[in-house]
Amino acid sequence: MGLKPGGIAFLAAVLFFYIRLIWLQRAKVTLARQAAAQSDNGQKQHSRKSKKEKTYFDKFRLRIINWYLLIGAVALIAAGAFISTTSLWGETVRSFWWLPTAGGIFMGSFSFA
């Protein structure tokens, strides 16, 4: 069973989504390490640590910056799933299920920061 162009486009969109999430996560970790290093340099005079020590890694890793974009992405993915499972428009339209699905995944990757 070979991959069709729709399957390749879908896999490329998923791969782009995960690469973008990895890139955002690494950027957050780098910023957290820099902030922790600056905080440690400024607080060396304190010998004891407080009970509730502030850790920079406890913050949410990713945040949603555009809810409308995320809702639109979920709607596109759902539309692609509906197109692939229904036969309302015939086999020609059904074979293009990957367009809204890949577009929704690609669009959803830009709703995070």
Side-chain angles (χ1 to χ4, degrees):
M1 181 176 153
L3 282 177
K4 297 178 183 176
I8 293 171
F10 175 74
L11 289 176
V14 170
L15 184 65
F16 176 78
F17 178 80
Y18 283 113
I19 287 174
R20 177 147 166 82
L21 289 182
I22 290 168
W23 178 62
L24 288 171
Q25 180 61 34
R26 286 190 180 182
K28 290 267 187 182
V29 168
T30 302
L31 288 174
R33 285 185 181 158
Q34 289 173 354
Q38 283 180 344
S39 176
D40 289 343
N41 288 340
Q43 295 180 355
K44 286 201 176 201
Q45 64 269 14
H46 299 292
S47 61
R48 288 192 283 165
K49 295 180 181 178
S50 66
K51 288 184 180 179
K52 289 189 175 184
E53 182 179 317
K54 183 178 180 183
T55 59
Y56 294 96
F57 297 103
D58 290 340
K59 294 181 182 178
F60 291 114
R61 302 263 168 114
L62 294 173
R63 61 185 171 92
I64 298 172
I65 57 173
N66 193 341
W67 281 96
Y68 298 115
L69 194 64
L70 184 63
I71 290 169
V74 170
L76 277 175
I77 294 169
F82 178 74
I83 289 170
S84 71
T85 58
T86 188
S87 61
L88 291 176
W89 300 290
E91 192 62 35
T92 306
V93 175
R94 189 176 179 186
S95 66
F96 290 108
W97 64 271
W98 57 273
L99 279 173
T101 308
I105 292 170
F106 186 75
M107 188 169 71
S109 67
F110 291 107
S111 64
F112 298 104

